[in-house]
Every structure is written in C-alpha cells, then in structure tokens.
Amino acid sequence: MTTQRKTIIAGNWKMNKTPKEARELASAVVESVKTKTDLPEIVLCPAFVALHDVLEVAKGTPVNVGAQHMDYRDEGAFTGEISPVMLTSMGVTHVIIGHSERRQFFGETNATVNLRLKAALKHKLIPIVCVGESLDEREEGLTDAVVRRQVAAALIDIDEESTKTLVFAYEPVWAIGTGKTCEAAEANRVCLLIRGVVNEFYSRAEGGHKGAKSTAGDHVPILYGGSVKASNVDEQLALPDIDGSLVGGASLNAGEFQSIIVAGAKRQTTMASKLTRSGT
Ligand code: PEP
C-alpha cells in the first residue's frame, strides 16, 4: 500500500549568517518559491539570533521557520538556553532535535533527545529528530544497531498519537559536511529501518499499543541529511522511503536550495499521483 507522507525540505544554517545576512538569504528563498504551487513543506532553521528576522521575512509565505536546538524546560536558571515557550511565542513551528553536532560537541545523549522531544510535542513544535551512525560505527557494522537504539530511546514515553507530528532525519555522521553522500539506496534502506523501528515500538505492549500491530511508522516523514546538493537530491527523493532532505551547507546558497525545493515538489507530486492511481 502506498502511504501519503508530506515531503519536507529543511535547511539547517548552523552557526552561519548574521541576522542581516539571514534576512537576505531568507528573502531570496521566499522570492524563489513565491509563484510556485505544490510546494513541499519548507523549513528554514537559522541561528537563534536570526529567528526574528527570518520570521518577519517568512510571515504569510509558504516558508516555515525552525530552531536548531532548544532546552526541554519551560523557564528557569539555565544560562544561555532557549525554551520551547520562547520559540512558540515568536512563531517558530519546527525544531531540530539531537543533531549529531549537538551529540558530538554539546553532550546531547539519547536521554536528553527524549526529553527535548517530549517538550517539543507538549508545546506543539514539529520535531525533526536526527539519528545516524559515526564512521567507526558504520565500519564496525553497527549502523542498524545504533540507529535502532537512537530511535527507540527517542520514543520512550511518547504516545502513538504524537507520532502524527513527528519527523525523523537519518543523518549518517560521516556524511555531514564532508561532501561524502550516503548511497541513495543505502539511505533509503536505513530510512525504512527507522520506519520499522517506530512500527515495532508501538506494536509492543510497553509501547502503549497493547500488542496490536502498529503502522505508526508508515506515516512518519523520514528525511535524509548528509551532503545533500542539487546534483544528488533527485536520486535520493526518487526512492520510496526518503520523504525529504535536511540540508546543511547547500541551504546557505539560495540557488542550490531552490533546486532542492524543486526536487521536493517533484517528489510530492509523484507520490500524490501514485496514491491516486492506487486508489488509496
Ligand atoms: C546537517 O547539518 O544536518 C547536514 C546534513 O549538513 P550538510 O548538508 O552540510 O552535510
């Protein structure tokens, strides 16, 4: 059965662009999509200090704005942190959780990913939860075990209903910012694995579904991220289990990002027509 899942193209600008530069880049992205229809869900994730500018530019357009990270508490004595309440009060709709750079450099763990995911869902932010193996883990044949563990740990105490707003991104760490892309077929295989882990999680009694077989994972959009560019995105998005792209470096270039959005739009249209033909 073909399942309709939204196609999402998200740009993670990381620690790049001053507020003024972010405003210019966001304006170029908005300009490039303004006359287009059948767009995928587009999300720009600038640094915290540029959220205000990008939100102003994106207001009333098809472009959504996300944060790259957030604290899981609502408020308090946590110097330097930004809360989900602050983000939603500004108009931010999405948040990246557990990016590998947060895991690698800022002590993010599977347990804190789970706390952030719960907080995002509580505050109606759309979470984009990143999972993926390191180069050593891949070379030791641990990819599936690592990804399984990350996905299952993220879902602890999350009810099945909440998966309706959940997004995962498969981002092999060795492919991020390195120019090394994961083969499209392999990325698709791991995205399907993630879907399967979500289904298994909610099919088990402790997942809260009381032993019945769950299809929750079939409805969760799963993005691929890792050196996505205009030149490789078509091949990735032609595959059935890659529902979009989380784009780092290439999202800093409006022209490149526009081409990736066009590829997302093509995928969305193709999937919709497949659904119509299959009558589902
Ligand atoms: C990312 O930051 O999530 C990412 C995938 O980066 P890049 O596209 O630069 O590899």
Side-chain angles (χ1 to χ4, degrees):
M1 192 187 84
T2 315
T3 308
Q4 173 80 72
R5 291 182 294 268
K6 58 185 174 183
T7 302
I8 302 171
I9 303 294
N12 173 15
W13 293 356
K14 310 195 189 196
M15 197 175 73
N16 294 294
K17 305 288 175 193
T18 62
K20 180 171 175 289
E21 290 165 347
R23 181 178 277 273
E24 284 161 11
L25 179 55
S27 303
V29 173
V30 164
E31 192 60 30
S32 74
V33 298
K34 103 174 165 206
T35 55
K36 302 230 166 35
T37 51
D38 296 326
L39 287 164
E41 187 164 299
I42 303 165
V43 191
L44 300 181
C45 302
F48 287 132
V49 292
L51 281 171
H52 175 73
D53 286 81
V54 175
L55 278 160
E56 258 186 20
V57 171
K59 198 166 181 193
T61 79
V63 175
N64 301 279
V65 181
Q68 298 173 14
H69 169 70
M70 64 169 198
D71 199 276
Y72 50 86
R73 293 157 290 213
D74 289 358
E75 60 183 2
F78 304 106
T79 302
E81 286 298 284
I82 302 284
S83 80
V85 177
M86 294 169 181
L87 295 175
T88 52
S89 73
M90 294 180 78
V92 169
T93 50
H94 294 65
V95 61
I96 299 174
I97 293 176
H99 191 280
S100 65
E101 287 151 15
R102 301 295 318 175
R103 293 180 191 254
Q104 202 179 342
F105 304 122
F106 301 100
E108 184 83 274
T109 64
N110 286 342
T112 55
V113 166
N114 174 249
L115 290 172
R116 278 182 238 288
L117 177 53
K118 283 189 224 162
L121 293 168
K122 175 178 154 204
H123 290 284
K124 309 234 175 313
L125 283 160
I126 299 173
I128 303 176
V129 180
C130 300
V131 296
E133 79 289 358
S134 67
L135 183 58
D136 285 351
E137 288 163 342
R138 172 156 285 264
E139 285 175 351
E140 286 168 38
L142 295 173
T143 298
D144 293 13
V146 168
V147 170
R148 276 181 174 281
R149 198 162 48 239
Q150 291 173 335
V151 173
L155 294 174
I156 291 170
D157 292 335
I158 306 268
D159 62 64
E160 186 173 352
E161 182 68 16
S162 298
T163 61
K164 289 187 178 154
T165 51
L166 177 60
V167 179
F168 274 105
Y170 170 53
E171 296 213 310
V173 181
W174 50 271
I176 297 180
T178 58
K180 286 187 201 146
T181 322
C182 183
E183 292 276 325
E186 173 61 5
N188 186 70
R189 185 191 72 78
V190 182
C191 289
L192 181 60
L193 173 87
I194 293 170
R195 212 176 287 302
V197 177
V198 177
N199 283 339
E200 275 167 34
F201 186 90
Y202 290 102
S203 297
R204 290 200 312 260
E206 64 269 33
H209 204 264
K210 302 282 174 270
K213 183 153 175 21
S214 168
T215 56
D218 297 354
H219 304 278
V220 174
I222 304 182
L223 319 183
Y224 166 74
S227 299
V228 174
K229 303 188 262 292
S231 57
N232 58 26
V233 69
D234 280 315
E235 191 190 357
Q236 294 155 8
L237 296 187
L239 297 178
D241 284 288
I242 303 179
D243 300 312
S245 315
L246 179 53
V247 190
S251 70
L252 295 170
N253 178 305
E256 273 279 313
F257 195 60
Q258 183 190 359
S259 304
I260 296 169
I261 292 171
V262 169
K266 197 162 83 191
R267 180 183 194 280
Q268 182 150 280
T269 313
T270 311
M271 295 312 278
S273 71
K274 272 192 188 154
L275 266 181
T276 315
R277 272 185 274 126
S278 72
T280 48

